[in-house]
Amino acid sequence: MNATISEPIAPILSSPCELLIVGAGPAGLAAALAAAPSGARITLLDDNPAPGGQIWRAGPAVRLPPQALRLREALARCANVRVLCGTRVVGLVGERELLLEDPERGWVQRYDKLILCTGARELLLPFPGWTLPGVTGAGALQALIKSGLPVAGERIVIAGSGPLLLAVAATARKCGAQVIRVAEQASLSSLAAFTAQLARWPGKAIQALTLVEKSYRTSSNVVSAQGNGRVESVRLQQGAKVIDIACDRIACGFGLIPNTQLGQLLGCLLASASGGAQGLAFDAFQATSVPDVYAAGECTGFGGSERALTQGRIAGHAAVGNIAAAQRCWPERARWEAFANQLHRRFALAESLKQIPRPDTLICRCEDVPHNILTQCSGWIDAKLHSRCGMGACQGRVCGAAAQFLYGWEAPVPRSPLSPARIATLASPLNSD
Ligand SMILES: Cc1cc2nc3c(=O)[nH]c(=O)nc-3n(C[C@H](O)[C@H](O)[C@H](O)COP(=O)(O)OP(=O)(O)OC[C@H]3O[C@@H](n4cnc5c(N)ncnc54)[C@H](O)[C@@H]3O)c2cc1C
């Protein structure tokens, strides 16, 4: 049955829950499993078709690792955890009420306690040619491949910064692509310092060894993409040299930025955990600055799935009052915060990347706003008023982060609705009691 504006919302969907968890990546899964033994009525929701988040994204080209399967199976055994996939939070309605939407209907979800596990997204830095078909984010290409995009035989260049580049290269190679270059902007000395520290996290050292790429180059970044209607080659700055490489795809991502929008809408303060981009601020129990709202995983700062799992566990235990169990996870969290700290330090973005856009390079691709218009603006509000920058479909999620890096502007303050939503969904608060 499809809900319309006048139809009552199915009670099973709108029934209040004691604990609502937004995001079913590693952090959300761990939070739900930690909280479940309390017997509380828990709802775990995610906008993807299956739980797993970014790292364990399901799809036709994916064989999930045993850890992901174990977590999913454990979740299926928890009778008090309701899992809603393909469901996203569109905005706020009132005190402890969120507006949700799935492919068929919208409804108001009430909760007593909330754990935000909304993850992170890629930082995309615009360069000449970045809007050509065939150019994507690095993680975006990985998601497309996992969802079935055929890349066998294609020549792919992966560029940007951070360990995700190597994970993407491995996924592409496994599906038959030729990864002809992985261009990392960090220097060899930074990378050597990072690698030297890896013995502190043996699992990570082993993972790094399995991902080693012979096409990997440091002090290397994308300058431009060329092509007639589709990408045909990439120009790279490689140390002092500039080189051109023929390719079929470019996948480019400059690290991750926490998805803080929902937390900000709720009034949660931001902080820079482990020295990275600002995420949702949290205390020892993963509580945010807003009472009964917790945050875990990459919405608090980028640091990998192990950090997300540990933070999720602490938030889940704390939200149902199991303080001792939460405290037992503190040493583990400290270990992964130290790893995150290394990541941020060793893969810090070079100032020289700010010189990549040309005057006519589009920064806001939704509203076609070029770099030379934005360099004349004093900040985000000025840019919105004079150029419509950030007012398109992505609502500044892509260009806002780029502008923050390029011009040092404060990120745009999110507003409801967080994403495009159906009129019937936006009207559903009027229909709830
Ligand atoms: C594109 C991408 C690819 C990545 N690939 C890898 C990889 O291959 N290997 C690796 O080690 N690390 C990878 N990472 C890093 C990885 O995200 C983390 O290590 C780990 O998955 C973080 O777990 P998390 O639970 O904090 O967040 P995530 O795994 O990101 O999970 C957050 C979930 O919340 C959902 N969500 C967010 N907002 C809403 C909303 N409003 N309504 C409903 N649902 C919402 C998201 O769709 C997502 O499923 C990737 C990151 C990105 C951005």
Side-chain angles (χ1 to χ4, degrees), residues 351-372:
E351 283 291 302
S352 58
L353 297 174
K354 295 182 179 169
Q355 308 308 320
I356 293 177
R358 288 192 207 128
D360 62 349
T361 304
L362 292 184
I363 305 298
C364 170
R365 63 189 297 174
C366 300
E367 295 289 333
D368 287 351
V369 186
H371 184 48
N372 60 357

Side-chain angles (χ1 to χ4, degrees), residues 67 93 112 261 293 342:
Q67 185 184 19
V93 180
D112 297 333
Q261 291 89 341
V293 178
Q342 283 298 314

Side-chain angles (χ1 to χ4, degrees), residues 22-28 45-48 52-55 87-89 117-122 139-140 142 146 164 167 207 256 259 296-298 302 304-305 308:
V22 181
L45 66 87
D46 196 292
D47 51 5
N48 280 310
Q54 298 291 359
I55 183 169
T87 304
R88 64 203 165 113
V89 179
C117 301
T118 47
R121 65 191 184 282
E122 285 189 278
Q142 189 192 46
K146 287 180 177 177
L164 180 59
Q207 199 182 359
L256 301 180
N259 286 330
E298 295 199 327
F302 171 58
S305 59

Side-chain angles (χ1 to χ4, degrees), residues 25-57:
L29 287 170
L33 289 171
S38 68
R41 270 176 301 142
I42 300 170
T43 295
L44 170 64
L45 66 87
D46 196 292
D47 51 5
N48 280 310
Q54 298 291 359
I55 183 169
W56 300 321
R57 180 182 287 275

